[in-house]
Amino acid sequence: MNLSELARKLNTTINELKEKLPGLGFDVGLHAIKVDDHSAQQIIEKWSELKRKERVQEKFAKQLGQVEEKEEKTDAEKAEAKKLQIPAVIAVRDFATRMNLPVTGVIRELMKSGILATLNDRIDYETASIVAEDLGFLPEQEVDDGTSKENDEMLDRLKSAIESDNDGKNKPRPPIVVVMGHVDHGKTTLLDAIRTTNVVAGESGGITQHIGAYQVVKNDHRITFIDTPGHEAFTVMRSRGAKVADMAILVVAADDGVKPQTKEAINIIKAAGIPFIVALNKMDKPDANVEKAKSALSEVGLIPEDWGGKTVIVPVSAKTGAGIDQLIEMLILTAEMEKDRLIANPDRNAIGTIIESHIDKGAGPIATVLVQTGTMWPGDILGIKGVHVGRVRTMRNWKGEVVLKARPATPVQVLGFKSTPAVGDVVEVADDTKGLDTKKVRQGKNDAVSRVTATNSAPTEEEGGKPYLNIVIRTDVLGSIEALMGMFEKLKNPDVILKIVRKGLGSVTDSDILSAESASGLVYAFRVPVTNQAEQLSREKHVEIKRYDVIYDLFNDVKANLEALLPKEIVVTELGKLEVLAVFKVDSGVTIAGGRVVDGKLQPNTKIRIARGGEYVGEGAISELQLGKQTVKQVGSGQECGIKVQSKTKLEVGDRLETYKEEERIKKSTIGN
Ligand SMILES: Nc1nc2c(ncn2[C@@H]2O[C@H](COP(=O)(O)OP(=O)(O)OP(=O)(O)O)[C@@H](O)[C@H]2O)c(=O)[nH]1
Ligand SMILES: [Mg+2]
């Protein structure tokens, strides 16, 4: 037989064949072209044995950590190299620049996804990320804390509008007080106590999940309060709250002391440069410890006044109402000292900041605007970043009462937006629509969530070899989507990808179900109803709808689903070793042998590596152990025993059997924490 033909039969190269033949006991010489048929037959038999041995050796080398798995690394490196940061909304031109691609090509790519856009059009993150992925990038959403350049410009204008109103028209306005602190330390309860209503009871799990704004009149002083959520996921909302505020209350539970979000809040307050008061809450609790809390505060640089520092600390109990009056007194005192700054011109067009926005099923887009200067009236033309976004139809105060004007430092719910504006946006009232861009429908970040996003081409699994979890999310308010997106950032993982196929505000609809179906995904409904039709469709299409009221429960469910998709890792546990002393019986892959345990303990139903003369020659499993005539579950070191072994490799006296167990585990440690 020709060597080349033999090589082909063995699925190898002539060179490898020639190189390995001497090791198999065939000396065919370097220049041989043929072997006789008898040798060829023997070579074929021995070759498969050799290949099996090579495979076993490679496997065990890997198992025992003797070789590095190089591939993974380069994959991760590749991903690193092509990461692309994309903001919530981006102009097509800027998007192309970020990818370093010609804008025409990007427009063409967008058209493929069914989106007709010109270079100045703005597209949302979802759309951009799909196109970016198609172009081989790994898109990442840029965290937007409302500090985009455009917004900075707006904030500057807002500032100068407030400061330039010095021609005698400025009037005192209420202070805006932001309430911050660690989760569950009692911010909302404290505000309840101040207002003596009960909001906390109405919140799911008592956890604040978006910003709340209230106005209170105490001792003839009007104060505007901004409540913020304390959970770590809501950093963005906390910093936004602080940006619009004049002063802050830092709530610290006296039984719990300084916690991570207390520290974060301190940093945010310091960055905002606003005065603040510490409300040491939950004083009614038996384990409230003022001294301990004070020393914890000192450690983070807040030295109490009575310890010679400058930090005003008021012990309170939101539950019993103790200390609330003192707290308000301190607030009024602080406002008094700040009074030169607490002014605005009510006789001008209003400018304010969006602090919450959502879509109401009946009424459409609703946003809470904190008017910061000027007065807002029904009929006012609204502009955001130079784009006409609607006209004030109705305004309601925090109690839900219709109001006919909103003066500086007043939060109002405004009806009349054409689409939901982004939280953090600065809204400006214009004299007419002339100065505003009316043609362009603003593609704000929230339009992105309230309208259907790009395509549903997302495959469920194995894009680029990685499994995907595709989900559709519907929430009640924008803050919830923002928070979830922030939390999902933590689930970023090199092994599985979470893909938000579609997200939006309001009820779960048919098209959500269809999107989820075509992506083989599932639907999450966060505090929103599901239409009857969608319900029906979900049953027909076998699309799961999961409903949640608490954001962390939803998050944990997504996390668990993602974990289930994680590649499994095999954990090898080394067990005992045995030396073969006798081979009694070999019968179609089953060998009965005897041996001595030389290390550790032997157990039945374990895997084995067969080592002979210092190298691995095969693998198999031990199915039974015998001591004397008895079947046993364990044999200790030094003992002699009988074994029943399943293996294709024939055991020989002197073989060493290394036993081990393999367990499949998901790579849990790699997701979030
Ligand atoms: N005993 C006691 N319990 C309080 C007091 N203030 C708040 N609580 C309780 O603490 C829990 C959390 O209160 P919330 O007001 O929801 O806390 P929060 O800071 O607004 O929480 P997040 O908004 O989720 O950050 C609730 O069970 C309250 O009843 C207090 O002064 N005394
Ligand atoms: Mg709260």
XYZ file of all heavy atoms in Angstrom, residues 464-528:
488
model
N -22.244 34.325 17.545
C -20.840 34.422 17.913
C -20.505 33.381 18.951
O -19.624 33.569 19.755
N -21.228 32.283 18.919
C -20.925 31.177 19.813
C -21.413 31.383 21.230
O -21.234 30.534 22.081
N -22.025 32.548 21.517
C -22.443 32.784 22.896
C -23.954 32.671 23.029
O -24.690 33.148 22.180
C -22.040 34.186 23.313
C -20.577 34.322 23.562
C -20.270 35.755 23.879
C -18.802 36.025 23.649
N -18.530 37.444 23.579
N -24.412 32.066 24.117
C -25.856 32.005 24.313
C -26.427 33.376 24.684
O -25.741 34.185 25.306
C -26.017 31.012 25.457
C -24.709 30.952 26.127
C -23.658 31.385 25.161
N -27.659 33.598 24.273
C -28.336 34.861 24.520
C -29.554 34.629 25.397
O -30.215 33.609 25.277
C -28.897 35.408 23.200
C -27.955 36.306 22.461
C -26.992 35.782 21.620
C -28.060 37.678 22.596
C -26.148 36.605 20.924
C -27.216 38.512 21.898
C -26.248 37.970 21.062
O -25.433 38.805 20.392
N -29.879 35.626 26.204
C -31.190 35.632 26.832
C -31.897 36.855 26.256
O -31.435 37.981 26.407
C -31.077 35.758 28.351
C -32.414 35.922 29.075
C -33.271 34.677 28.910
C -32.207 36.214 30.550
N -32.983 36.614 25.558
C -33.712 37.719 24.938
C -34.927 38.066 25.773
O -35.739 37.198 26.078
C -34.169 37.320 23.536
C -32.995 37.265 22.578
O -32.031 37.997 22.745
N -33.072 36.392 21.600
N -35.045 39.331 26.120
C -36.205 39.710 26.917
C -36.880 40.974 26.386
O -36.253 41.804 25.737
C -35.857 39.894 28.419
C -34.824 40.999 28.610
C -35.356 38.614 29.018
C -34.560 41.299 30.076
N -38.161 41.053 26.684
C -38.942 42.243 26.382
C -39.348 42.810 27.739
O -39.772 42.051 28.615
C -40.198 41.876 25.568
C -41.128 43.078 25.420
C -39.810 41.326 24.196
N -39.186 44.108 27.925
C -39.529 44.687 29.228
C -40.555 45.806 29.075
O -40.419 46.665 28.221
C -38.297 45.296 29.922
C -37.253 44.228 30.157
C -38.685 45.926 31.249
C -36.042 44.768 30.854
N -41.540 45.759 29.914
C -42.514 46.850 30.001
C -42.541 47.332 31.439
O -42.630 46.523 32.370
C -43.906 46.331 29.645
C -44.106 46.154 28.172
C -44.411 47.483 27.526
N -44.718 47.302 26.125
C -45.108 48.305 25.347
N -45.230 49.525 25.844
N -45.368 48.086 24.094
N -42.461 48.640 31.630
C -42.520 49.153 32.993
C -43.509 50.308 33.080
O -43.943 50.838 32.065
C -41.146 49.675 33.478
O -40.850 50.871 32.780
C -40.039 48.667 33.235
N -43.797 50.671 34.308
C -44.746 51.765 34.533
C -44.132 53.129 34.298
O -44.693 53.975 33.646
C -45.320 51.677 35.957
C -44.226 51.724 37.022
O -43.047 51.482 36.678
O -44.541 51.997 38.184
N -42.943 53.324 34.841
C -42.325 54.638 34.686
C -40.916 54.481 34.130
O -40.308 53.420 34.209
C -42.262 55.432 36.015
C -43.644 55.789 36.497
C -41.497 54.652 37.057
N -40.445 55.579 33.602
C -39.137 55.574 32.973
C -38.028 55.242 33.955
O -37.070 54.548 33.639
C -38.891 56.955 32.382
C -37.678 57.009 31.493
C -37.933 56.167 30.274
C -37.399 58.428 31.110
N -38.192 55.739 35.183
C -37.173 55.496 36.191
C -36.903 54.005 36.356
O -35.766 53.586 36.561
N -37.951 53.206 36.243
C -37.779 51.765 36.424
C -36.931 51.181 35.301
O -36.071 50.339 35.546
C -39.132 51.066 36.439
O -40.033 51.775 37.244
N -37.179 51.636 34.078
C -36.380 51.110 32.964
C -34.936 51.529 33.150
O -34.021 50.718 33.026
C -36.900 51.640 31.603
C -38.191 50.906 31.255
C -35.863 51.456 30.508
C -38.567 50.953 29.808
N -34.757 52.780 33.514
C -33.394 53.273 33.726
C -32.681 52.462 34.787
O -31.545 52.053 34.620
C -33.441 54.721 34.204
C -33.660 55.706 33.115
C -33.406 57.111 33.626
O -33.567 57.337 34.848
O -33.044 57.937 32.823
N -33.396 52.242 35.879
C -32.781 51.512 36.980
C -32.432 50.102 36.536
O -31.342 49.600 36.813
C -33.726 51.466 38.164
N -33.356 49.468 35.830
C -33.104 48.098 35.383
C -31.907 48.050 34.446
O -31.051 47.176 34.563
C -34.342 47.529 34.682
C -35.424 47.027 35.633
C -36.707 46.736 34.870
C -34.952 45.780 36.374
N -31.856 49.010 33.532
C -30.733 49.028 32.600
C -29.416 49.173 33.370
O -28.432 48.538 33.045
C -30.873 50.167 31.574
C -32.034 49.993 30.616
S -31.944 48.431 29.725
C -33.574 47.811 29.991
N -29.463 50.011 34.388
C -28.272 50.196 35.211
C -27.884 48.901 35.903
O -26.723 48.522 35.959
N -28.894 48.200 36.397
C -28.621 46.954 37.114
C -28.139 45.880 36.138
O -27.268 45.080 36.467
C -29.891 46.493 37.830
C -30.271 47.397 39.001
S -32.010 47.211 39.453
C -31.873 46.016 40.770
N -28.706 45.878 34.937
C -28.311 44.863 33.954
C -26.849 45.024 33.551
O -26.209 44.065 33.139
C -29.205 44.934 32.714
C -30.607 44.451 32.950
C -31.650 44.852 32.127
C -30.890 43.583 33.990
C -32.945 44.416 32.342
C -32.186 43.139 34.225
C -33.207 43.551 33.400
N -26.354 46.262 33.681
C -24.942 46.496 33.383
C -24.071 45.520 34.179
O -23.043 45.063 33.721
C -24.549 47.921 33.789
C -24.904 48.962 32.758
C -24.158 48.763 31.454
O -22.910 48.736 31.502
O -24.813 48.611 30.406
N -24.549 45.238 35.382
C -23.782 44.366 36.276
C -23.768 42.930 35.789
O -22.992 42.120 36.259
C -24.408 44.368 37.661
C -24.167 45.620 38.387
C -24.441 45.366 39.829
C -24.224 46.614 40.619
N -24.858 46.511 41.907
N -24.693 42.613 34.898
C -24.779 41.232 34.422
C -23.904 41.022 33.195
O -23.885 39.950 32.631
C -26.234 40.872 34.099
C -27.202 40.953 35.269
C -28.599 40.591 34.822
C -26.764 40.034 36.394
N -23.206 42.052 32.790
C -22.308 41.928 31.637
C -21.350 40.789 31.892
O -20.734 40.689 32.934
C -21.521 43.231 31.462
C -22.303 44.311 30.782
C -21.845 44.480 29.333
C -22.852 45.226 28.506
N -22.811 46.663 28.775
N -21.252 39.938 30.930
C -20.533 38.708 31.145
C -19.971 38.219 29.825
O -20.645 38.309 28.802
C -21.560 37.709 31.705
C -21.010 36.341 31.882
O -20.774 35.641 30.911
N -20.795 35.965 33.098
N -18.753 37.715 29.829
C -18.181 37.306 28.548
C -18.825 36.040 27.974
O -18.657 35.756 26.790
C -16.716 37.058 28.870
C -16.654 36.874 30.343
C -17.803 37.617 30.938
N -19.558 35.300 28.781
C -20.056 34.012 28.314
C -21.503 34.009 27.842
O -21.883 33.189 27.018
C -19.887 32.958 29.423
C -18.429 32.765 29.772
O -17.629 32.696 28.830
O -18.101 32.715 30.955
N -22.322 34.891 28.417
C -23.718 34.944 27.971
C -24.089 36.394 27.739
O -23.515 37.296 28.345
C -24.702 34.360 29.014
C -24.682 32.870 29.017
C -24.447 34.921 30.377
N -25.033 36.586 26.861
C -25.414 37.962 26.541
C -26.888 38.169 26.823
O -27.730 37.362 26.447
C -25.095 38.275 25.074
C -23.572 38.329 24.901
C -25.710 39.601 24.666
C -23.112 38.460 23.502
N -27.164 39.266 27.538
C -28.543 39.641 27.803
C -28.945 40.639 26.734
O -28.289 41.657 26.544
C -28.644 40.279 29.189
C -30.014 40.850 29.542
C -31.044 39.746 29.617
C -29.949 41.604 30.852
N -29.990 40.300 26.028
C -30.401 41.194 24.958
C -31.812 41.698 25.231
O -32.733 40.914 25.405
C -30.364 40.420 23.639
C -30.337 41.333 22.455
C -29.674 40.629 21.285
C -29.480 41.560 20.117
N -28.551 41.008 19.148
N -31.959 43.020 25.301
C -33.280 43.599 25.479
C -33.838 43.782 24.071
O -33.432 44.690 23.345
C -33.228 44.965 26.201
C -32.230 44.951 27.353
C -34.621 45.392 26.625
C -32.566 44.062 28.502
N -34.719 42.893 23.695
C -35.253 42.908 22.348
C -36.135 44.131 22.151
O -36.191 44.730 21.094
C -36.090 41.643 22.101
C -36.609 41.608 20.682
C -35.272 40.408 22.391
N -36.814 44.499 23.227
C -37.769 45.574 23.134
C -38.057 46.049 24.540
O -38.117 45.252 25.464
C -39.032 44.970 22.514
C -40.065 45.899 22.013
C -41.143 45.015 21.386
N -42.412 45.637 21.541
C -43.109 46.144 20.521
N -42.655 46.046 19.307
N -44.264 46.716 20.744
N -38.222 47.364 24.690
C -38.598 47.838 26.014
C -39.522 49.023 25.851
O -39.476 49.713 24.838
C -37.362 48.213 26.831
C -36.503 49.260 26.182
C -35.250 49.495 26.983
C -34.359 50.494 26.267
N -33.125 50.783 26.912
N -40.352 49.216 26.829
C -41.280 50.323 26.683
C -42.058 50.567 27.951
O -41.960 49.809 28.915
N -42.809 51.663 27.933
C -43.652 52.000 29.075
C -45.079 51.555 28.775
O -45.494 51.533 27.625
C -43.638 53.512 29.295
C -42.270 54.155 29.531
C -42.411 55.658 29.685
C -41.621 53.573 30.770
N -45.812 51.197 29.795
C -47.217 50.856 29.608
C -47.465 49.362 29.478
O -46.561 48.552 29.665
N -48.726 49.040 29.177
C -49.171 47.642 29.164
C -48.390 46.765 28.199
O -47.876 47.231 27.191
C -50.627 47.557 28.721
O -51.378 48.516 29.360
N -48.368 45.476 28.547
C -47.795 44.479 27.643
C -48.813 44.253 26.526
O -49.989 44.006 26.778
C -47.527 43.160 28.393
C -47.060 42.083 27.430
C -46.515 43.378 29.500
N -48.359 44.375 25.283
C -49.271 44.273 24.141
C -48.936 43.061 23.275
O -47.920 42.402 23.495
C -49.159 45.515 23.248
O -47.816 45.570 22.742
C -49.451 46.794 24.016
N -49.781 42.831 22.271
C -49.560 41.718 21.339
C -48.178 41.766 20.727
O -47.506 40.756 20.581
C -50.486 41.786 20.113
C -51.901 41.984 20.487
O -52.159 42.206 21.673
O -52.738 41.909 19.576
N -47.804 42.984 20.310
C -46.530 43.048 19.595
C -45.357 42.705 20.507
O -44.340 42.205 20.040
C -46.340 44.390 18.904
O -46.823 45.402 19.721
N -45.515 42.929 21.810
C -44.463 42.484 22.732
C -44.351 40.971 22.696
O -43.265 40.403 22.701
C -44.789 42.917 24.173
C -44.747 44.425 24.341
O -43.968 45.073 23.623
O -45.510 44.939 25.174
N -45.512 40.330 22.682
C -45.527 38.867 22.680
C -44.881 38.355 21.387
O -44.058 37.435 21.408
C -46.979 38.331 22.770
C -47.695 38.942 23.976
C -47.005 36.808 22.811
C -47.184 38.544 25.320
N -45.249 38.994 20.282
C -44.700 38.551 18.999
C -43.187 38.771 18.941
O -42.450 37.919 18.452
C -45.399 39.283 17.843
C -46.889 38.929 17.706
C -47.551 39.763 16.620
C -47.085 37.436 17.433
N -42.752 39.905 19.485
C -41.305 40.162 19.522
C -40.605 39.082 20.327
O -39.581 38.551 19.916
C -41.010 41.495 20.201
O -41.491 42.544 19.441
N -41.183 38.789 21.483
C -40.570 37.789 22.356
C -40.579 36.433 21.660
O -39.605 35.684 21.725
C -41.318 37.711 23.676
N -41.659 36.157 20.969
C -41.757 34.859 20.307
C -40.685 34.723 19.234
O -39.971 33.719 19.184
C -43.139 34.673 19.677
C -43.347 33.237 19.197
C -44.239 33.140 17.976
O -44.643 34.198 17.429
O -44.500 32.009 17.548
N -40.562 35.744 18.396
C -39.610 35.598 17.308
C -38.172 35.587 17.807
O -37.278 35.138 17.133
C -39.821 36.671 16.239
O -39.462 37.912 16.771
N -37.973 36.073 19.014
C -36.619 36.031 19.574
C -36.460 34.863 20.545
O -35.441 34.756 21.212
C -36.329 37.344 20.286
N -37.487 34.013 20.623
C -37.519 32.927 21.606
C -37.196 33.457 22.998
O -36.420 32.850 23.726
C -36.536 31.819 21.254
O -36.747 31.381 19.965
N -37.760 34.575 23.311
C -37.466 35.170 24.605
C -38.687 35.194 25.498
O -39.670 34.488 25.239
N -38.624 35.993 26.560
C -39.764 36.098 27.444
C -40.036 37.566 27.767
O -39.222 38.435 27.461
C -39.583 35.274 28.712
C -38.566 35.719 29.739
C -38.885 35.081 31.074
C -37.178 35.313 29.318
N -41.205 37.794 28.355
C -41.645 39.162 28.594
C -41.669 39.440 30.095
O -42.160 38.625 30.871
C -43.061 39.387 28.016
C -43.542 40.804 28.304
C -43.079 39.099 26.523
N -41.110 40.581 30.493
C -41.199 41.007 31.879
C -42.138 42.201 31.968
O -41.973 43.181 31.237
C -39.828 41.417 32.403
C -38.962 40.227 32.725
C -38.070 39.724 31.796
C -39.064 39.596 33.958
C -37.283 38.620 32.083
C -38.289 38.498 34.264
C -37.396 38.016 33.324
O -36.631 36.932 33.621
N -43.128 42.078 32.840
C -44.064 43.180 33.047
C -43.813 43.722 34.442
O -44.027 43.034 35.435
C -45.494 42.686 32.932
N -43.307 44.948 34.516
C -43.029 45.532 35.813
C -44.102 46.558 36.162
O -44.150 47.634 35.580
C -41.645 46.171 35.822
C -41.300 46.815 37.136
C -41.131 46.039 38.268
C -41.181 48.182 37.241
C -40.841 46.618 39.486
C -40.880 48.783 38.452
C -40.717 47.991 39.577
N -44.948 46.188 37.066
C -46.034 47.060 37.523
C -46.891 47.580 36.379
O -47.338 48.724 36.397
C -45.478 48.259 38.280
C -44.763 47.889 39.545
C -44.168 49.143 40.062
N -43.901 49.065 41.470
C -43.769 50.145 42.220
N -43.932 51.336 41.715
N -43.483 50.028 43.487
N -47.061 46.762 35.353
C -47.962 47.155 34.270
C -48.901 45.988 33.984
O -48.549 44.832 34.190
C -47.217 47.529 32.969
C -46.482 48.839 33.117
C -46.279 46.421 32.521
